[in-house]
Amino acid sequence: MQKLSSKLLELIALSLGLEKDRFNGVFKESTNFTCLNYYPVCLAPELTLGLRIHKDPGAMTILAQDDAGGLEVKMICDGEWISVKPTPGAYIINVGDLIQVWSNDKYESVEHRVKANSEKERFSSAFFLNPSRYIWVEPLEEFINEENPTKHKGYLWGKYFATRKLSNFKKVEVELSKGAEYSTITVRNHQSTIPKKKKKKSAMGEVDPDFIQAVEHRPKPEIIEAEGIPLIDLSPLISLESDSDGSARLVAEIGDACKNWGFFQVINHGVPSKARERIELASKKFFALSKDEKKKVSRDEANIFGYSDHEITKNIRDWKEVFDCTIENPTIIYATDEPDDEELRELTNQWPQYPPELRQV
Ligand SMILES: O=C(O)CCC(=O)C(=O)O
Ligand SMILES: [Fe+2]
């Protein structure tokens, strides 16, 4: 995943008219992490969401979805929501907020969400390419001139990351840049701060009010399966040095997809299908454990990576469980979200006893 993300980032840099190594150094002590998502069958898919509307805050996301479907994306061109039909073996690449900020809005990060499903459970995994904590994020000078003034305030990535990850236990409003304003924010312990709501009847029974979305956020039945979502063949990457025609075409395709869609799918990406299958299998084994067993590796203030069934935005729970783990071992982040506090903190992963192969895959 790291290799694929660096290659893609080089292509994105080239497509923006930058040197391919323009972002080298930004990810030296990365805060990359991987998230396994499990969306259980839901009896009230019309009232809830598997995953709320958000944009990914890092540079790029590499997403593997199974064949259940449900991922929806807001089109950059007309603001319409479309569903992203699973393509076997393909990875979905999302442009993240950082690319939007660095490119001063030449590319935009894509808004997306996941529908809950009344018939089928769903599994996905996401790799988030994130910079080192000390990277100051702001539009690159190449994209600023008199006609194009800077569109984003700068911010320190590590402080933003700490705010998001360490604020799990309080309600926070994070307002950093235009690009980051819809990004996922995880909050916990919300029940004590909001009045108890009434249970609601769905077509299939009563639903825990913690999961019920406001009317305007509920899924729309008429979402269309879009035609023409870019499906980019990365096989020219293998001969990128020698085949300059192929690589120029690839750069143009990627540039077009980033500009017009904010996401794309890739095939012939070089990631062995066996590796993907092993991750999916280990993930299924883990999420099939009892809640008590899974909660032995719950995220908490000491271990901010691990299991959670309480991802929440605006006080509403997602119909989803997650297990996340950091990639650099250890990952070093700021200990607090206080702007002037330079104290650091080492993050390591916690692993369940079962399945033992989860750690390896
Ligand atoms: O499960 C999916 O398809 C989407 C996951 C996602 O958007 C995320 O983890 O940020
Ligand atoms: Fe996402």
Side-chain angles (χ1 to χ4, degrees), residues 37 39 51 54 56 63 71 112 114 122 124 126 128 320:
N37 298 309
Y39 302 86
L51 175 57
H54 69 285
D56 295 340
L63 180 70
L71 175 64
H112 52 290
V114 178
R122 178 176 188 269
S124 71
F128 298 98
K320 168 187 184 224

Side-chain angles (χ1 to χ4, degrees), residues 135-184:
I135 294 297
W136 184 256
V137 183
E138 62 187 349
L140 299 179
E141 56 189 21
E142 290 90 330
F143 300 116
I144 302 171
N145 53 43
E146 260 175 41
E147 289 101 74
N148 293 299
T150 177
K151 297 198 168 82
H152 297 274
K153 279 188 284 185
Y155 58 97
L156 191 62
W157 168 256
K159 284 294 169 187
Y160 181 46
F161 190 77
T163 308
R164 293 165 50 84
K165 273 289 180 191
L166 300 172
S167 63
N168 275 342
F169 310 96
K170 58 181 184 195
K171 174 110 180 70
V172 286
E173 299 294 337
V174 180
E175 199 185 320
L176 283 165
S177 75
K178 195 172 140 236
E181 75 193 7
Y182 296 108
S183 296
T184 316

Side-chain angles (χ1 to χ4, degrees), residues 108-338:
E108 276 179 44
S109 54
V110 66
E111 265 186 276
H112 52 290
R113 66 185 177 203
V114 178
K115 245 185 175 156
N117 189 322
S118 60
E119 280 153 30
K120 225 175 162 179
E121 55 187 11
R122 178 176 188 269
F123 294 85
S124 71
S125 60
F127 168 84
F128 298 98
L129 178 71
N130 291 334
S132 326
R133 67 185 176 280
Y134 44 76
I135 294 297
W136 184 256
V137 183
E138 62 187 349
L140 299 179
E141 56 189 21
E142 290 90 330
F143 300 116
I144 302 171
N145 53 43
E146 260 175 41
E147 289 101 74
N148 293 299
T150 177
K151 297 198 168 82
H152 297 274
K153 279 188 284 185
Y155 58 97
L156 191 62
W157 168 256
K159 284 294 169 187
Y160 181 46
F161 190 77
T163 308
R164 293 165 50 84
K165 273 289 180 191
L166 300 172
S167 63
N168 275 342
F169 310 96
K170 58 181 184 195
K171 174 110 180 70
V172 286
E173 299 294 337
V174 180
E175 199 185 320
L176 283 165
S177 75
K178 195 172 140 236
E181 75 193 7
Y182 296 108
S183 296
T184 316
I185 295 164
T186 307
V187 290
R188 291 258 184 97
N189 282 357
H190 67 299
Q191 280 96 338
S192 55
T193 60
I194 54 167
K196 262 277 163 251
K197 287 170 281 176
K198 284 215 184 93
K199 287 199 174 171
K200 216 176 174 90
K201 275 226 184 308
S202 88
M204 300 163 90
E206 283 196 333
V207 189
D208 182 338
D210 287 354
F211 291 96
I212 297 176
Q213 298 286 337
V215 175
E216 64 274 23
H217 293 131
R218 288 181 197 164
K220 312 277 178 293
E222 68 276 13
I223 297 296
I224 49 158
E225 225 163 58
E227 298 289 316
I229 294 175
L231 183 66
I232 298 182
D233 180 353
L234 292 182
S235 41
L237 263 186
I238 296 153
S239 52
L240 202 55
E241 305 309 330
S242 52
D243 176 6
S244 60
D245 273 1
S247 61
R249 252 194 333 268
L250 196 53
V251 168
E253 270 183 80
I254 292 210
D256 192 58
C258 289
K259 190 161 175 29
N260 298 315
W261 295 79
F263 78 106
F264 50 95
Q265 303 183 86
V266 293
I267 49 169
N268 297 322
H269 37 64
V271 182
S273 54
K274 275 267 166 287
R276 178 170 174 160
E277 284 160 19
R278 284 168 59 214
I279 293 172
E280 200 174 307
L281 202 61
S283 171
K284 283 184 175 164
K285 285 185 186 170
F286 172 73
F287 286 116
L289 298 174
S290 69
K291 276 267 167 107
D292 281 351
E293 210 42 50
K294 288 184 273 195
K295 283 185 174 166
K296 287 185 183 160
V297 288
S298 274
R299 296 177 192 164
D300 58 27
E301 269 164 298
N303 287 301
I304 62 169
F305 285 98
Y307 172 75
S308 170
D309 63 356
H310 260 77
E311 292 231 311
I312 289 159
T313 297
K314 298 207 168 79
N315 291 326
I316 306 298
R317 274 174 80 179
D318 292 331
W319 199 272
K320 168 187 184 224
E321 298 177 28
V322 301
F323 177 82
D324 59 5
C325 60
T326 170
I327 307 281
E328 300 278 340
N329 197 16
T331 293
I332 301 169
I333 65 163
Y334 292 111
T336 71
D337 52 10
E338 293 301 321

